[in-house]
């Protein structure tokens, strides 16, 4: 399955804006992107993307498409990092909390500019797994 690129970009922008707002105003705001991420991973349906579909001007299939499995992989990384950030904020470990939040902002921000860090990580993992399977055969 695929997802139209503008919808992926809206989700990335949502992540950047909410995490940045959390760092500027109050860490509890991180609960919003974390909850969306957890819901997405559990149901395989992203509410931000689902809501944003109504704003597409053309049929979904006419846009450049992004791989749904890749987006779920990226969502895992972001949700884990946001969860760790929330945990560290609650434990009073500010430096680690900010570090994990900033990593999410940077990854989503760079993705908006065209380079997907999660895609690189997943590709290298799949190649490692493939090469390992080949070597065992």
């Amino acid at each position: 399955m695929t997802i139209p690129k503008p919808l992926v970009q809206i989700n990335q922008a949502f992540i950047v804006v909410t995490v940045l707002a959390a760092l500027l105003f109050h860490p509890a705001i991180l609960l919003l992107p974390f909850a969306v991420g957890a819901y997405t991973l559990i149901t395989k349906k992203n509410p931000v993307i689902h809501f944003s579909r109504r704003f597409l001007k053309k049929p979904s299939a006419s846009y450049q498409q992004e791989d749904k499995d890749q987006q779920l992989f990226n969502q895992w990384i972001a949700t884990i990092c946001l969860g760790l950030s929330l945990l560290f904020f609650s434990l009073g470990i500010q430096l680690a909390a900010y570090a994990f939040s900033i990593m999410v902002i940077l990854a989503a921000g760079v993705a908006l500019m065209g380079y997907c860090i999660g895609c690189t990580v997943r590709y290298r993992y799949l190649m490692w797994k493939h090469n390992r399977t080949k070597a065992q055969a």
Side-chain angles (χ1 to χ4, degrees):
M1 286 201 72
T2 60
I3 305 167
K5 187 171 183 168
L7 298 179
V8 171
Q9 291 171 317
I10 288 170
N11 187 55
Q12 292 163 339
F14 165 79
I15 291 169
V16 169
V17 169
T18 55
V19 176
L20 193 56
L23 297 182
L24 294 174
F25 301 112
H26 197 281
I29 297 171
L30 288 175
L31 288 169
L32 182 59
F34 177 77
V36 167
Y39 178 84
T40 300
L41 295 172
I42 291 166
T43 65
K44 306 291 187 258
K45 295 178 182 175
N46 185 307
V48 173
I49 288 174
H50 180 72
F51 176 79
S52 300
R53 279 191 189 279
R54 67 188 75 197
F55 300 110
L56 291 178
K57 293 180 180 177
K58 302 184 283 187
S60 290
S62 66
Y63 293 96
Q64 181 180 344
Q65 301 293 304
E66 298 283 338
D67 181 52
K68 186 173 183 177
D69 290 336
Q70 180 63 58
Q71 297 311 310
L72 286 171
F73 181 84
N74 296 346
Q75 191 70 63
W76 271 107
I77 295 170
T79 304
I80 289 168
C81 288
L82 292 171
L84 288 170
S85 184
L86 281 164
L87 175 68
F88 290 133
F89 272 121
S90 70
L91 295 174
I93 306 171
Q94 304 294 319
L95 184 62
Y98 276 98
F100 279 100
S101 288
I102 290 168
M103 282 193 293
V104 172
I105 291 170
L106 289 174
V110 170
L112 280 167
M113 292 185 269
Y115 178 73
C116 175
I117 295 167
C119 299
T120 301
V121 170
R122 182 170 181 246
Y123 173 78
R124 289 183 185 241
Y125 167 71
L126 291 173
M127 290 306 298
W128 171 80
K129 196 169 141 182
H130 172 74
N131 289 334
R132 195 174 129 220
T133 305
K134 258 181 32 183
Q136 291 176 352

